[in-house]
Amino acid sequence: MTGTMTRPTVSPFLEPGLHTKPRSLAILQLSRDNLLPIYLQEASGEHDGYAEGAVVNTRYGSFPHSTMLNVPWGSQIRASKVDTGSRGRKRKRGPKDDASRDDAEENQPETTDNNNATEATRVKQAVADDSGFIHVLPPTPELWTQSLPHRTQVVYTPDYSYILHRIRARPGSTIIEAGAGSGSFTHASVRAVYNGYPSSAEDRKGKVFSFEYHEERYHKMKKELTDHNLDGLVHLTHRDVYNGGFLIDGTSPEADAIFLDLPKPWEALPHLSRRKPQTEAKEGEEWVSPLNPKRAVHMCTFSPCIEQVTRTVSAMRRLGWVDIDMVEIANRKLHTIRDRVGLHYQTDRGVNVSPHDVEEALDRLAEIEERVREQAARPRNGEDGAEDADTVMKNGDVAVKKDDDKASAAEQPPYQTPWVDGRLITKGEPEIKTHTSYLVFAVLPREWTEEDEAAAFAKYPCGKEKAVVGSMDKQTRKKERREQLQKIGDRKARRKERAEKIAEAVE
Amino acid sequence: MHHSVIKPNSWVALKLPSGVTRVIQVTPNTSISLGKYGTFPANLILERPYYLTFEVQDKLPEDSFSRLRVVPPSELYADVFAEEDAECANPAAGPGSNNDAVIATAEGEEFSLVDAESGNVIARSTQEVIDENARQKLTQAEIEELKRDGTNAGKDVIAKLLLSHAALDQKTSFSLSKYKLLKTKKYIRRFQVLPIDVPTFSNWQLEERDASKILDIRAEMMGLVGCWGNVHYGGEDVFLEDPKATTEQGEEALAPLQEDLLAGRWLVVDDTGGLLVAAMAERMGVLYKEDDETDEAAEEEEEETEQKDTERADGQQQETTSDTTSLARHPKRPRDNKSRDSDFAVPFSQTNTITVLHGASQPNLSFLNYWNFDVTAPQHPPHPLLNHLLTLSWLQLLKPELDTSYSTPPLTADPETLSIWKPSRRGNFHRKRRRYARVRHIVDSTRAGNFSGLVCASTMDPISILKHALPLLAGGAPVAIYSPSLEPLATLADCFSVARRTAWNSGHVAEIQGKTAEELEKWEGSEQFPLNPTLLLGTSIQTSRARKWQVLPGRTHPLMTERGGADGFIFTGWRAKPAEGKIAAKGKFKRRKVEETVSTPASA
């Protein structure tokens, strides 16, 4: 809490605090998968024709921002009675608008000296509606990924969660991301590397260096980052990385991990070397590697087609990347439902009124048969027997149902609570994503020169090995075990001795 | 912290050509034996970078040990390059046409014999099944002899085996490369050193050790749990001020809980032996010690561990010395929790913490040993988890008055009495007072709630966990529960079904009539409503699986077999703060029927 007090610019993605705040991003959950990102505004007078200030209109009702501000995150918000009908008319009236605002506030004395205060008092208090509600949630990369404005194909949670895990994105890491796209990966990766905002230019903290080629997308992304208070944590550059590389003003971002969501990763790969690649045209100029010289660098490329993968992997091998591994992620969501089958159910949505087991079917069939026999035994009026049997059959059916209803109403009805009835089953979503992209992972170890080796060898000279670790022959293992047991025995003996001494002292 | 080089006494994973991983601690001045792949001094990999592939070389006549050679990638991929080049030579241009993008490849030695040939072998249309034993002309005894005398890191053996294969020229290029790969895996004396981080460790545990110990949690699920649990760095460390309690003061001198300082805290139930906690600590930046310090600092640390080892060796010494004297002996040790702390100083940060709830009297977090953290060690060398890992039992959370260490008032003594005590008694006195303050803080701060998230991988029933954990979560906090099987999660998700929520909100459930919002938050559960269905939002169950592919020129396809067993599922949702009173959804859908049926049990 104090953190957010001293640094008011901490992103709501990273430290949302306990309550919603003005001018901060919030995600409104309208219904299960219907999320709406909004920036909460303090009501400072009429807004867009609404007396309550800014209002969110949904098919679940109208929600003035004032009802969603300074409430605990996760709060259920009731819809408000908002005058949406007269809004258009009022606005046309223009200057007179102010005078005819609200009956309830007519009595309030007009203070002319402070205009702002007047505006604030004029904000209409929201009145709760009879029905309709939404929930207000703190933004997380997962919610943002589900609700963000699409610009390109989105890297969804099943993919980015696995990628970030595998490329070792951790607090303090530096990540290069090329192809910022819609920004879902950017938000997830900034959360992964976040370990505080840098206090100065020299202060090295976890950071994401993002590159976007498309100018319009770049500008939108830039604005988004500012709105989300991520400016100090994400460095966004407008550049074609195939030709321009990954340096920031000629200096190295010293990346620990790389994520490439580009159509031709192999064209960007040569820039991500430890040493100058042979293809670089510019001779003489000093070549700077964008990678962290002290650590192994992990990379992931994200390509939808297998041809891209083949070329990427081939280029990676030639450039010295190791542990190359290609996977694709299949994610499935499962719904749980109550599967209700049985004759005793009333016809309702999602209910299958047919026998739920052989016994039930048997009972019913037997009952029908009995009725048919009863019917047949009764004296007949008509001549045509065959036709009669049919109607009897139908009537019998109906009779059984009626009877069932009566019987169940009389005893304790077991089926009156749809949430515990039936068998609990799980089902996949109606539509599943069968392919997102192929993920190619690779590692580029740190450079290791003859001099480094000589220095390390001098520091840790060999030849004085005392023991063997790893697979041991049986004898050594037995010997070690014996020694270990001996030690424990010694300790026990000493402990006993000590206990005796203490006992003596107490006496 | 980010594994720049291999540090002395750290745990590493050695990946062998056979695909087997060996996890060992690299102790200076020992030999590491890889069985048939050779033995080498541990000092030869100390301070060397991770992820390099080493080759165990033959002993030089003047050396008493085998030296290592770093295998360049050009050599690792020599076969693939040869194939690609052959493809390139053909008029049908292959994908390997970007040769110019190569960093000058230092030409390494290769199995000249095979590579020269591989291009020449004519692919045959009819593939005969080659019986290996029948076609291999070398006898087992001869092979054994070769292995014994064989030089050049096993390459000679492989070459001889290939040469003496009777049907070598009948093999297609594919089957030839397969045969070579098989033999290489068996005889080449190479290994790669990987850092023990959470992905490597869990992979090893899953594939080669006992997967059930970590509840079969795969990397995909680990990633999902971390993300849906929104686990991340929870802010700069904040410490409570030392109340400077004297030894005469009792519980009244405890530092009061400051709820507004608590932030970025995650609640965990971990039955994976500490792997889940490690994964969370990794995401929060409290798993690894900083090793980016200068070499001197590293050496100091080394000294310290050595000292600790000698201490360990004579256990009696350690057990009898009082805490105060041991503090004096190690002025550097409490670098993180100031040396002159009083007994009631709270050693934990108020932010960026993991609170582990455990079912046994002690938490099982033994896997943290691989990151040099021992939760049971009384005096621990500096480790970031010390200040950020809080553990308490369910009893301490739910019925603290029954827990002895929580409810027994602290010992007090005036300084004179204290001074005449034996050092061991004095040590015990301080230890008990410190434990009391620690337990008090952990229990009270946990019960204060407002956690930033709940993450579970437990064998316990998730419903019973949520019953007690949900009230402790802050509004909007995510819940992520992993289970190796689907059924427990399905039952859990059913507790939050639309039908249950609607019924609960409709005001027709007799049991909840007249209850305040607070009482409903701590809903104890009934047969029909095991949990308050309005406390979680957007509940959903999912599973992920990564399918591995082989990518080779002309032979790209998914792997033929992979690990089966438990699939693993996660349940996710967000903690909601329901509005008070009756609330109805907007919309045309009339839930008349539901409401009617709800009223029946109420009247009955």
Side-chain angles (χ1 to χ4, degrees):
Chain A
M1 283 297 90
T2 45
T4 49
M5 298 277 261
T6 49
R7 284 173 290 128
T9 49
V10 174
S11 169
F13 279 90
L14 301 167
E15 292 176 27
L18 294 175
H19 296 91
T20 56
K21 283 189 286 279
R23 294 176 304 283
S24 166
L25 179 69
I27 309 280
L28 305 186
Q29 198 212 29
L30 308 181
S31 66
R32 203 188 147 76
D33 291 317
N34 194 354
L35 302 170
L36 182 71
I38 60 153
Y39 297 91
L40 294 174
Q41 295 170 25
E42 248 164 336
S44 58
E46 195 187 82
H47 182 275
D48 201 21
Y50 292 111
E52 291 88 353
V55 171
V56 180
N57 284 309
T58 73
R59 64 188 175 109
Y60 305 94
S62 298
F63 301 90
H65 286 206
S66 55
T67 59
M68 297 184 275
L69 266 175
N70 304 314
V71 297
W73 289 111
S75 287
Q76 189 176 32
I77 309 288
R78 283 177 198 274
S80 296
K81 281 180 183 144
V82 170
D83 179 12
T84 47
S86 60
R87 178 169 79 105
R89 273 178 280 127
K90 269 186 184 174
R91 281 173 93 194
K92 271 176 208 150
R93 267 186 270 156
K96 283 183 216 161
D97 204 352
D98 278 17
S100 63
R101 171 89 42 68
D102 202 32
D103 301 341
E105 280 166 30
E106 259 175 22
N107 297 338
Q108 277 197 341
E110 293 266 319
T111 44
T112 42
D113 44 29
N114 192 337
N115 231 339
N116 278 342
T118 332
E119 285 288 4
T121 52
R122 276 206 198 136
V123 175
K124 188 185 163 189
Q125 202 63 42
V127 182
D129 203 351
D130 314 327
S131 69
F133 62 84
I134 55 170
H135 286 89
V136 53
L137 287 171
T140 67
E142 289 68 42
L143 289 169
W144 179 246
T145 301
Q146 279 179 55
S147 61
L148 54 77
H150 278 232
R151 295 187 282 262
T152 58
Q153 217 206 322
V154 173
V155 184
Y156 285 101
T157 308
D159 282 319
Y160 75 61
S161 63
Y162 183 70
I163 294 168
L164 288 168
H165 184 69
R166 291 262 324 238
I167 64 172
R168 273 72 172 173
R170 297 166 190 157
S173 304
T174 306
I175 294 189
I176 284 181
E177 174 207 30
S182 300
S184 61
F185 190 83
T186 320
H187 282 81
S189 55
V190 77
R191 172 182 64 187
V193 302
Y194 172 67
N195 65 343
Y197 282 75
S199 53
S200 64
E202 290 83 51
D203 192 12
R204 200 185 141 94
K205 296 273 187 189
K207 197 160 185 174
V208 178
F209 290 89
S210 187
F211 297 85
E212 177 57 54
Y213 168 63
H214 194 275
E215 183 158 9
E216 198 187 329
R217 283 206 290 268
Y218 163 78
H219 286 299
K220 280 191 177 155
M221 180 83 185
K222 189 93 193 150
K223 182 170 182 313
E224 230 166 65
L225 291 173
T226 311
D227 288 344
H228 298 173
N229 291 329
L230 293 171
D231 278 337
L233 306 174
V234 182
H235 189 289
L236 184 66
T237 311
H238 175 220
R239 186 186 296 168
D240 163 24
V241 292
Y242 297 153
N243 297 311
F246 297 90
L247 298 184
I248 306 296
D249 305 323
T251 59
S252 166
E254 302 206 346
D256 303 310
I258 299 154
F259 175 67
L260 298 181
D261 180 6
L262 300 168
K264 295 178 193 168
W266 57 91
E267 291 202 8
L269 278 176
H271 297 289
L272 297 164
S273 307
R274 299 265 182 208
R275 297 250 191 96
K276 184 175 174 177
Q278 284 182 344
T279 39
E280 283 292 281
K282 280 174 257 162
E283 284 294 329
E285 227 176 282
E286 205 194 335
W287 193 85
V288 183
S289 165
L291 309 179
N292 186 339
K294 293 224 163 147
R295 287 173 192 163
V297 173
H298 291 258
M299 151 137 73
C300 173
T301 68
F302 190 76
S303 320
C305 305
I306 200 81
E307 288 78 9
Q308 292 169 303
V309 170
T310 336
R311 288 195 73 172
T312 308
V313 170
S314 173
M316 280 175 169
R317 287 196 184 111
R318 303 263 169 189
L319 289 165
W321 291 81
V322 298
D323 285 356
I324 300 172
D325 183 29
M326 195 265 260
V327 302
E328 59 175 329
I329 300 281
N331 182 261
R332 272 187 310 142
K333 279 206 177 61
L334 297 159
H335 294 303
T336 53
I337 38 175
R338 289 257 166 202
D339 191 26
R340 285 178 289 164
V341 180
L343 292 170
H344 56 274
Y345 288 116
Q346 294 163 335
T347 319
D348 192 7
R349 226 178 54 171
V351 169
N352 184 353
V353 187
S354 60
H356 85 272
D357 59 7
V358 175
E359 276 66 39
E360 201 175 27
L362 214 59
D363 287 351
R364 187 192 184 210
L365 289 170
E367 208 166 339
I368 291 170
E369 281 304 317
E370 202 179 329
R371 263 158 226 266
V372 171
R373 240 175 286 126
E374 268 173 32
Q375 206 79 6
R378 258 183 236 161
R380 286 180 206 173
N381 297 331
E383 308 290 310
D384 203 337
E387 195 194 289
D388 222 48
D390 254 4
T391 47
V392 166
M393 189 70 163
K394 272 182 203 156
N395 291 342
D397 228 351
V398 172
V400 170
K401 255 194 195 158
K402 272 188 188 158
D403 245 36
D404 262 2
D405 276 358
K406 266 183 219 153
S408 49
E411 57 193 68
Q412 183 58 256
Y415 51 86
Q416 302 283 5
T417 45
W419 53 91
V420 287
D421 279 353
R423 177 185 287 150
L424 180 64
I425 58 163
T426 52
K427 237 186 201 180
E429 292 167 290
E431 196 181 314
I432 49 170
K433 289 195 187 75
T434 42
H435 179 62
T436 52
S437 271
Y438 295 112
L439 314 178
V440 181
F441 293 96
V443 183
L444 191 61
R446 208 183 134 158
E447 278 216 307
W448 198 242
T449 60
E450 295 283 325
E451 298 87 71
D452 294 334
E453 178 58 36
F457 191 79
K459 195 171 171 191
Y460 291 99
C462 298
K464 301 184 292 179
E465 284 71 43
K466 284 179 277 184
V468 179
V469 184
S471 28
M472 285 183 276
D473 54 307
K474 211 173 173 186
Q475 248 176 340
T476 346
R477 210 179 302 144
K478 271 192 173 167
K479 196 177 152 214
E480 276 206 355
R481 181 80 189 134
R482 246 199 319 276
E483 280 169 9
Q484 208 179 350
L485 286 174
Q486 184 66 41
K487 248 186 217 168
I488 293 172
D490 285 357
R491 212 178 294 160
K492 271 188 185 157
R494 270 181 297 198
R495 202 175 291 159
K496 204 175 166 191
E497 208 177 304
R498 200 169 64 237
E500 278 166 11
K501 264 190 200 166
I502 289 171
E504 273 172 38
V506 168
E507 278 164 22
Chain B
M1 123 203 214
H2 284 92
H3 306 117
S4 141
V5 291
I6 301 161
K7 291 283 175 193
N9 296 315
S10 55
W11 287 88
V12 299
L14 301 178
K15 221 165 90 186
L16 304 181
S18 55
V20 170
T21 312
R22 279 269 163 76
V23 173
I24 56 150
Q25 195 173 17
V26 192
T27 320
N29 296 321
T30 55
S31 284
I32 296 173
S33 163
L34 301 178
K36 67 177 176 183
Y37 299 111
T39 305
F40 61 93
N43 287 15
L44 281 179
I45 57 167
L46 281 178
E47 296 278 325
R48 269 69 161 190
Y50 282 104
Y51 294 102
L52 290 180
T53 301
F54 294 101
E55 197 168 84
V56 184
Q57 290 185 301
D58 306 320
K59 246 181 225 173
L60 295 174
E62 68 268 24
D63 283 343
S64 60
F65 54 88
S66 296
R67 287 176 186 266
L68 299 180
R69 181 180 74 94
V70 176
V71 185
S74 55
E75 200 180 318
L76 294 174
Y77 298 127
D79 280 6
V80 183
F81 289 168
E83 251 177 87
E84 281 183 347
D85 291 343
E87 226 171 290
C88 267
N90 288 337
S97 52
N98 37 11
N99 283 352
D100 32 3
V102 182
I103 304 179
T105 50
E107 214 40 73
E109 41 189 326
E110 235 321 300
F111 319 143
S112 49
L113 169 92
V114 185
D115 275 327
E117 234 170 41
S118 64
N120 300 336
V121 175
I122 308 140
R124 285 164 193 276
S125 50
T126 51
Q127 265 185 318
E128 305 144 68
V129 181
I130 300 168
D131 175 12
E132 214 182 279
N133 292 328
R135 302 300 177 108
Q136 183 52 260
K137 283 185 290 196
L138 291 178
T139 63
Q140 197 54 41
E142 280 171 320
I143 296 174
E144 283 305 318
E145 196 180 336
L146 264 177
K147 271 162 68 182
R148 221 173 18 253
D149 312 333
T151 50
N152 212 358
K155 274 175 269 184
D156 286 356
V157 187
I158 301 162
K160 290 229 173 70
L161 278 172
L162 286 171
L163 263 185
S164 40
H165 196 291
L168 192 70
D169 56 340
Q170 286 171 31
K171 280 178 182 275
T172 64
S173 59
F174 286 176
S175 72
L176 181 72
S177 69
K178 233 183 182 173
Y179 184 70
K180 192 184 150 193
L181 193 68
L182 210 70
K183 294 298 152 198
T184 308
K185 271 187 184 168
K186 206 162 164 188
Y187 297 112
I188 196 120
R189 291 158 64 179
R190 282 178 185 168
F191 68 92
Q192 196 189 18
V193 191
L194 307 180
I196 283 291
D197 49 18
V198 171
T200 314
F201 178 81
S202 54
N203 223 23
W204 171 64
Q205 196 69 28
L206 193 71
E207 306 270 344
E208 296 177 40
R209 304 303 295 279
D210 191 354
S212 65
K213 271 196 182 156
I214 55 165
L215 300 181
D216 296 83
I217 187 163
R218 279 174 291 116
E220 302 88 295
M221 304 313 292
M222 195 84 93
L224 280 176
V225 166
C227 279
W228 285 101
N230 197 21
V231 184
H232 64 277
Y233 172 76
E236 239 167 80
D237 287 353
V238 177
F239 288 96
L240 290 181
E241 219 175 293
D242 186 351
K244 296 265 192 284
T246 61
T247 50
E248 288 160 300
Q249 287 176 296
E251 53 193 306
E252 72 281 356
L254 282 178
L257 192 66
Q258 284 177 275
E259 286 190 30
D260 53 333
L261 289 183
L262 298 169
R265 298 143 70 229
W266 274 265
L267 199 59
V268 197
V269 186
D270 180 0
D271 284 332
T272 63
L275 179 64
L276 183 68
V277 169
M280 295 182 64
E282 194 178 52
R283 297 180 67 98
M284 295 165 73
V286 292
L287 184 60
Y288 306 109
K289 286 193 232 177
E290 295 282 338
D291 68 13
D292 280 16
E293 299 162 85
T294 54
D295 285 0
E296 281 165 76
E299 264 163 23
E300 260 173 37
E301 214 164 285
E302 198 184 316
E303 259 173 43
E304 217 165 47
T305 38
E306 257 174 33
Q307 215 159 356
K308 193 192 82 194
D309 287 347
T310 52
E311 241 176 51
R312 280 271 164 78
D314 64 9
Q316 198 226 356
Q317 174 87 21
Q318 199 190 1
E319 273 164 20
T320 48
T321 46
S322 78
D323 289 346
T324 38
T325 53
S326 92
L327 277 179
R329 274 202 300 148
H330 300 279
K332 265 193 285 123
R333 173 160 299 170
R335 221 184 306 178
D336 297 339
N337 43 352
K338 299 141 258 152
S339 54
R340 298 232 165 258
D341 284 348
S342 76
D343 287 344
F344 284 175
V346 174
F348 304 110
S349 169
Q350 303 298 295
T351 58
N352 200 29
T353 58
I354 303 173
T355 303
V356 177
L357 281 166
H358 50 88
S361 52
Q362 290 297 321
N364 175 12
L365 303 172
S366 53
F367 286 146
L368 291 179
N369 286 333
Y370 288 96
W371 290 277
N372 298 319
F373 181 78
D374 183 0
V375 77
T376 56
Q379 291 158 43
H380 206 286
H383 195 288
L385 276 175
L386 279 176
N387 306 333
H388 299 97
L389 179 68
L390 293 76
T391 63
L392 79 162
S393 68
W394 285 100
L395 182 76
Q396 285 172 327
L397 173 73
L398 300 172
K399 296 197 166 145
E401 66 281 359
L402 296 185
D403 182 72
T404 324
S405 50
Y406 179 88
S407 53
T408 315
L411 301 167
T412 53
D414 54 80
E416 288 90 69
T417 330
L418 210 57
S419 61
I420 56 165
W421 279 355
K422 274 190 171 185
S424 58
R425 190 165 173 205
R426 207 159 53 216
N428 262 340
F429 170 81
H430 286 296
R431 193 171 49 79
K432 280 189 180 157
R433 277 171 65 87
R434 270 202 295 273
R435 189 185 62 191
Y436 175 78
R438 217 170 46 230
V439 168
R440 270 289 177 163
H441 175 76
I442 293 178
V443 172
D444 293 346
S445 66
T446 305
R447 286 169 67 94
N450 274 342
F451 279 90
S452 311
L454 168 71
V455 176
C456 283
S458 176
T459 46
M460 282 196 287
D461 181 15
I463 296 180
S464 72
I465 293 174
L466 280 194
K467 192 179 292 173
H468 304 294
L470 270 183
L472 298 177
L473 297 181
V479 170
I481 301 179
Y482 167 83
S483 166
S485 52
L486 177 58
E487 291 76 9
L489 299 186
T491 319
L492 176 64
D494 188 51
C495 295
F496 301 97
S497 65
V498 177
R500 275 210 169 89
R501 266 207 320 265
T502 320
W504 186 276
N505 281 334
S506 66
H508 290 286
V509 180
E511 305 147 276
I512 64 167
Q513 294 312 314
K515 287 220 165 41
T516 63
E518 223 168 292
E519 284 171 325
L520 289 180
E521 236 183 39
K522 302 205 165 145
W523 175 246
E524 286 184 351
S526 65
E527 201 189 321
Q528 298 236 328
F529 296 91
L531 293 166
N532 177 345
T534 58
L535 288 187
L536 267 193
L537 268 183
T539 57
S540 124
I541 300 175
Q542 58 177 311
T543 177
S544 260
R545 193 172 258 274
R547 182 179 212 192
K548 277 188 194 299
W549 285 60
Q550 156 188 315
V551 184
L552 285 169
R555 282 165 291 166
T556 300
H557 60 72
L559 294 195
M560 303 296 182
T561 54
E562 267 187 81
R563 217 191 100 77
D567 254 331
F569 298 86
I570 86 157
F571 168 92
T572 58
W574 289 275
R575 171 75 153 85
K577 293 265 182 192
E580 280 182 50
K582 195 175 156 181
I583 193 155
K586 198 161 237 150
K588 282 183 292 232
F589 36 90
K590 286 224 166 56
R591 288 272 171 193
R592 287 267 107 186
K593 254 184 193 151
V594 176
E595 284 185 13
E596 271 169 22
T597 50
V598 175
S599 59
T600 325
S603 57

